[in-house]
């Protein structure tokens, strides 16, 4: 009987110590791409900020939206003023204002492991994915995780033999007349795939908040680093909103980071603990921090 690898951990064995934030997957070339297909820099500069500004400003103005947009697009409104209003509205969580602009990415060479996570996002995002029914994968490619690339050579060889064996069998099944939609059942999660993804800015900020977090899986984290890079290239202002969720929150809310092995922001427990200490000290001094002066 083949050895199970890695061996199952006995109940008495200690869990892995968390020693630091996961290595930045961006250091490895994973062979994946995220290309911003739309909009171009010119379109973003000319329309996107004026459009979001119009959505924000309409809420507080007697002017008709068409007039606000005309003035904004014609350069009659100071760009810094537009950005200030937009930043304030985004930071206040009034997200509908940024649903009016979308970004479309061509994503290629990612694993099915990644795509399965990606398509879990539902609100404000659309996907189209390369079909494993209609495409004959004559040269199917796979993603090799860094831990396996750097693993014991014998272990890596066994992994590669398993993956290659699955792909060889796929080819044999097709050659034997098994339809692609059934032959694909043998594909490993490592199989690479391509997608087109369109997300409005609100959805993109939300997804980036989750997927740029160091708790996210390394491959999808790398994808969102590439996505952030693409948005930055057309708009450093809009790109600056794509950040791990702890950055706008000011604290980490991931239960898996209660030990604060990721140092980007303090954990919520620490923040609440510090507040409790402060409130206790204030009470000891005869003040109550929970009372807000009217
Ligand atoms: C680190 C990490 C680990 C994960 N682990 C697992 C796992 O082990 N197993 C697993 O199954 N999934 C897992 N997920 C996936 C996760 O549970 C979500 O399904 C995924 O991140 C999509 O995010 P979302 O729910 O915010 O959806 P989105 O579609 O991106 O929605 C955006 C927001 O819109 C709102 N919204 C969307 N749809 C609805 C709705 N129907 N009703 C009300 N409000 C809605 C919510 O506020 C939501 O946050 C993991 C995700 C991360 C980031």
């Amino acid at each position: 009987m083949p050895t199970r690898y890695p061996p199952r951990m006995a109940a008495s064995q200690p869990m892995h110590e968390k020693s630091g934030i996961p290595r930045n997957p961006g250091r490895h070339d994973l062979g994946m791409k995220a290309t911003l297909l739309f909009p171009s820099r010119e379109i973003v500069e000319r329309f996107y900020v004026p459009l979001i500004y119009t959505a924000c400003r309409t809420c507080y103005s007697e002017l008709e939206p068409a007039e606000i947009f005309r003035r904004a697009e014609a350069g009659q409104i100071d760009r810094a003023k537009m950005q200030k209003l937009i930043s304030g509205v985004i930071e206040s969580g009034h997200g509908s204002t940024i649903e009016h602009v979308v970004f479309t990415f061509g994503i290629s060479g990612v694993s099915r492991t990644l795509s399965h996570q990606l398509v879990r996002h539902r609100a404000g995002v659309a996907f189209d994915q390369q079909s494993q029914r209609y495409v004959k994968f004559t040269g199917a490619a796979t993603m090799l995780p860094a831990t396996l690339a750097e693993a014991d050579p014998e272990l890596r060889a066994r992994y590669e033999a398993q993956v290659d064996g699955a792909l060889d069998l796929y080819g044999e099944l097709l050659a034997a007349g098994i339809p692609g939609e059934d032959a694909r059942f043998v594909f490993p999660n490592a199989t690479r795939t391509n997608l087109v993804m369109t997300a409005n800015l609100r959805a993109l900020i939300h997804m980036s908040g989750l997927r740029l977090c160091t708790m996210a899986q390394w491959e999808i984290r790398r994808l969102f680093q590439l996505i952030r890079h693409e948005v930055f290239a057309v708009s450093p202002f809009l790109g600056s909103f794509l950040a791990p969720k702890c950055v706008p929150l000011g604290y980490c809310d991931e239960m898996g980071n209660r030990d604060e092995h990721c140092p980007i922001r303090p954990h919520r427990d620490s923040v609440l603990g510090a507040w409790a200490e402060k409130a206790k000290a204030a009470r000891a001094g005869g003040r109550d921090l929970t009372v807000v002066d009217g």
Side-chain angles (χ1 to χ4, degrees):
M1 188 156 159
T3 327
R4 180 188 291 276
Y5 241 99
R8 271 197 176 154
M9 202 181 260
S12 59
Q13 277 182 290
M15 297 289 286
H16 274 302
E17 285 286 320
K18 284 176 179 163
S19 55
I21 62 172
R23 279 184 304 171
N24 188 341
R27 288 191 196 143
H28 300 272
D29 178 8
L30 300 173
M32 65 160 81
K33 280 198 286 188
T35 309
L36 184 62
L37 306 180
F38 180 88
S40 63
R41 191 182 180 102
E42 294 70 36
I43 290 173
V44 174
E45 282 179 356
R46 182 165 167 200
F47 298 114
Y48 271 32
V49 169
L51 204 48
I52 301 171
Y53 175 77
T54 301
C56 298
R57 196 74 193 97
T58 294
C59 305
Y60 312 111
S61 176
E62 287 187 350
L63 293 174
E64 290 181 0
E67 178 56 17
I68 300 171
F69 183 67
R70 189 198 64 72
R71 292 181 189 184
E73 200 224 325
Q76 291 171 10
I77 299 164
D78 180 44
R79 208 158 181 88
K81 186 184 158 195
M82 289 200 275
Q83 292 189 353
K84 190 169 174 223
L85 178 64
I86 292 170
S87 298
V89 168
I90 293 178
E91 281 158 19
S92 304
H94 303 168
S96 56
T97 53
I98 50 171
E99 289 176 18
H100 301 287
V101 298
V102 297
F103 292 84
T104 300
F105 301 89
I107 298 169
S108 55
V110 297
S111 74
R112 278 258 165 179
T113 303
L114 182 150
S115 71
H116 191 77
Q117 297 175 76
L118 188 61
V119 301
R120 294 291 303 281
H121 293 282
R122 305 148 289 169
V125 59
F127 301 100
D128 284 286
Q129 183 165 13
Q130 184 182 43
S131 168
Q132 286 186 338
R133 293 184 74 201
Y134 304 121
V135 177
K136 297 243 183 308
F137 292 87
T138 45
T142 55
M143 172 70 72
L144 180 66
T147 51
L148 283 158
E150 294 160 12
D152 168 63
E154 194 190 328
L155 189 58
R156 175 178 168 165
R158 287 186 55 212
Y159 169 83
E160 287 179 334
Q162 184 92 9
V163 169
D164 292 347
L167 299 184
D168 288 348
L169 179 57
Y170 169 80
E172 284 176 40
L173 293 172
L174 284 189
I178 304 292
E181 68 175 14
D182 293 340
R184 66 174 164 168
F185 275 61
V186 79
F187 276 149
N189 274 332
T191 311
R192 290 188 192 254
T193 184
N194 303 330
L195 305 95
V196 172
M197 175 180 89
T198 298
N200 67 46
L201 182 57
R202 182 184 198 171
L204 201 57
I205 291 173
H206 172 75
M207 292 161 80
S208 300
L210 291 172
R211 305 302 184 176
L212 288 171
C213 169
T214 61
M215 300 297 289
Q217 184 247 356
W218 53 267
E219 190 189 0
I220 199 162
R221 198 168 141 228
R222 174 62 177 147
L223 175 68
F224 276 85
Q225 289 170 349
L226 296 174
I227 284 172
R228 179 174 56 184
H229 183 270
E230 287 289 287
V231 176
F232 252 100
V234 297
S235 173
F237 171 61
L238 296 181
S240 70
F241 293 101
L242 307 188
K245 63 184 168 157
C246 65
V247 172
L249 267 179
Y251 59 84
C252 169
D253 62 358
E254 281 289 339
M255 60 183 175
N257 189 38
R258 285 210 155 102
D259 61 359
E260 295 189 329
H261 64 277
C262 173
I264 298 178
R265 290 290 182 275
H267 193 270
R268 179 176 46 203
D269 292 354
S270 303
V271 175
L272 292 176
W275 173 257
E277 284 297 315
K278 198 172 156 66
K280 197 171 144 194
R283 268 197 305 276
R287 290 183 300 120
D288 186 352
L289 291 186
T290 57
V291 176
V292 180
D293 290 335

